[in-house]
Amino acid sequence: SDGGKLLVVPMGGSHWLSMQSVVEKLAERGHEVVVVIPEVSWRLGTSQAYTVKTYPVSYTLEELDNSF
């Protein structure tokens, strides 16, 4: 199939761990993938396979750690 455009807005946590491999595979197959993530996160990060855009949040990584 022709590559399409895909916007992914993960909420973090364990679902992203399984979803990340699917997103990377779609990018490898020619899809243009943009992942939108908060600038403060435990597991979400950059990748060579897809474009990552960040958005500002009102908390720090330390505050995120302390909330759990």
Side-chain angles (χ1 to χ4, degrees):
S1 71
D2 292 332
K5 294 183 179 183
L6 178 66
L7 177 65
V8 179
V9 186
M11 303 311 286
S14 61
H15 83 280
W16 173 246
L17 296 177
S18 58
M19 194 169 121
Q20 184 177 12
S21 62
V22 173
V23 170
E24 289 174 351
K25 198 55 102 170
L26 286 168
E28 288 174 14
R29 292 183 178 183
H31 295 274
E32 182 182 335
V33 180
V34 176
V35 178
V36 181
I37 63 172
E39 62 188 5
V40 175
S41 175
W42 284 320
R43 301 206 183 270
L44 305 173
T46 61
S47 171
Q48 296 285 354
Y50 48 81
T51 302
V52 173
K53 301 287 185 179
T54 61
Y55 60 89
V57 291
S58 61
Y59 53 86
T60 65
L61 187 56
E62 183 180 349
E63 290 170 331
L64 185 61
D65 289 341
N66 289 336
S67 69
F68 288 92

